[in-house]
Amino acid sequence: MPGQTREVVVGLDNGGTAINATVLDRAGRFLVDRLVETPSRVGEGPAVAIGALSEALAGVLRLTGVPRAAVKTVGLDTPGPASADGVISTRGAVNFADPAWRGFDVRGALETRLGLPVIYSNDANAAALYAHHVHFGPEAARRSSVALIVGTGLGGGVVESGRVVRGAAGMAGEFGHIQIPMEGLLAPGQPTPVCNCGLAADGESVASLTGIEKNLLPYWLTRFPGHPLHALGSARRAAIQVRGHAAAGDQLSLEIFRQQAIALGRLFTIAANFTDPDAYFLGGGVVETTPSFRDWFLATVSENTDLRAEQRPLATFALVPDLDMAGARGAALAGAAALGWLPAAG
Ligand SMILES: [Zn+2]
């Protein structure tokens, strides 16, 4: 069809192993309703990985029958840490281990390769933006939200009036590295958790896979001497299995997730006093589990979020939807926002 419906934004979610691609048209419709994944090849360094992103774009256009001339901009997201403009941290990043990635301008390199404008988001901000727009729909521009994404680390995003709050250096919404009170969270005698960033008792030191592996699981195993997770021999493998055990009702694993839920609630309490959002979203691997465990976890996070009497009836707690596609879709929405395609606040 001619005219504005042929104008699209391509969203590319560049992960540690895979690229997920999507296409968003000017009417706000996603033209693919499933995962469109190709290998990201980030382990082979930036030159190979930029080529893989270019191929992913071509592939999703072929799949949807959209001509390249219809692409007005590209939304790109990657895991952090990276600057607001998509320059990977000079200190390196977990998902970008090759030394050539340090200080690499992934946004600029893709823009040069494609000859198209590229709008960069970090992956947690992209997921936050997608959750916000799915939840609020036409109301998105008049609402605010915060999102916490629990994975290997703890990512976060703040959305105000339908737009991601990026901050001066692109580091707004880094809830993972806000310190929280440990009183009433830790068991008597439990060591204070420490984060990879060097801080003690911050959000990520508790509410992340890394936090389970380094802080929570080593303590709780001492309290459950006969537990089957002792036999695994690898702390990382054991940490990964905690979620499955928790969903099956295992006591040790539920203690770990109860501590994570308290930490997440305390971070949401900070948000409640800071931007007082309409919605609190929770995403990441932690919610990819059985419905009953997910519901318990979200309810426990909500119970540990200290809202005022005026706030509680207005606040919504919800999960980030379509988790596998949230990054690509959120990156595409950020591209659409840059083009002025999203409705503005009235
Ligand atoms: Zn930290």
Side-chain angles (χ1 to χ4, degrees), residues 111-278:
E111 191 166 271
T112 302
R113 173 73 176 237
L114 298 175
L116 284 166
V118 176
I119 303 296
Y120 178 80
S121 307
N122 78 45
D123 59 354
N125 281 347
L129 186 63
Y130 179 61
H132 183 92
H133 280 268
V134 171
H135 190 82
F136 290 114
E139 292 288 299
R142 285 185 286 278
R143 303 289 182 180
S144 61
S145 64
V146 291
L148 295 175
I149 315 294
V150 187
T152 307
L154 175 60
V158 178
V159 176
E160 187 62 45
S161 302
R163 302 293 180 97
V164 170
V165 177
R166 293 175 188 275
M171 291 171 186
E174 287 289 347
F175 286 95
H177 309 292
I178 295 175
Q179 288 173 303
I180 50 174
M182 288 290 123
E183 197 185 327
L185 188 159
L186 296 179
Q190 183 174 2
T192 301
V194 176
C195 182
N196 281 347
C197 76
L199 287 175
D202 68 5
E204 184 170 300
S205 72
V206 176
S208 66
L209 180 63
T210 310
I212 294 178
E213 178 187 346
K214 297 203 164 157
N215 298 311
L216 306 186
L217 188 58
Y219 167 75
W220 284 105
L221 282 173
T222 68
R223 298 285 304 273
F224 290 80
H227 198 279
L229 287 176
H230 280 284
L232 280 183
S234 151
R236 173 54 64 114
R237 275 175 46 219
I240 289 167
Q241 291 195 12
V242 170
R243 194 200 322 161
H245 281 280
D250 172 60
Q251 191 69 39
L252 172 150
S253 305
L254 286 171
E255 294 287 359
I256 286 175
F257 278 100
R258 193 182 55 80
Q259 293 191 318
Q260 293 205 327
I262 294 171
L264 294 166
R266 289 179 179 187
L267 290 171
F268 277 153
T269 301
I270 293 168
N273 285 293
F274 198 69
T275 59
D276 184 21
D278 296 286

Side-chain angles (χ1 to χ4, degrees), residues 77-83 88-89 92-96 120-124 174:
D77 80 295
T78 74
S83 77
I88 303 295
S89 169
V94 170
N95 290 282
F96 300 94
Y120 178 80
S121 307
N122 78 45
D123 59 354
E174 287 289 347

Side-chain angles (χ1 to χ4, degrees), residues 260-346:
Q260 293 205 327
I262 294 171
L264 294 166
R266 289 179 179 187
L267 290 171
F268 277 153
T269 301
I270 293 168
N273 285 293
F274 198 69
T275 59
D276 184 21
D278 296 286
Y280 299 80
F281 297 117
L282 196 59
V286 72
V287 297
E288 290 179 317
T289 175
T290 61
S292 63
F293 176 71
R294 220 164 45 198
D295 292 347
W296 168 80
F297 191 71
L298 188 63
T300 308
V301 171
S302 172
E303 281 162 22
N304 284 283
T305 304
D306 187 12
L307 300 181
R308 295 166 201 269
E310 296 89 340
Q311 293 174 309
R312 183 56 75 175
L314 302 175
T316 301
F317 286 78
L319 303 173
V320 177
D322 310 316
L323 203 60
D324 292 339
M325 296 190 288
R329 289 185 161 193
L333 284 167
L339 291 169
W341 287 5
L342 300 184

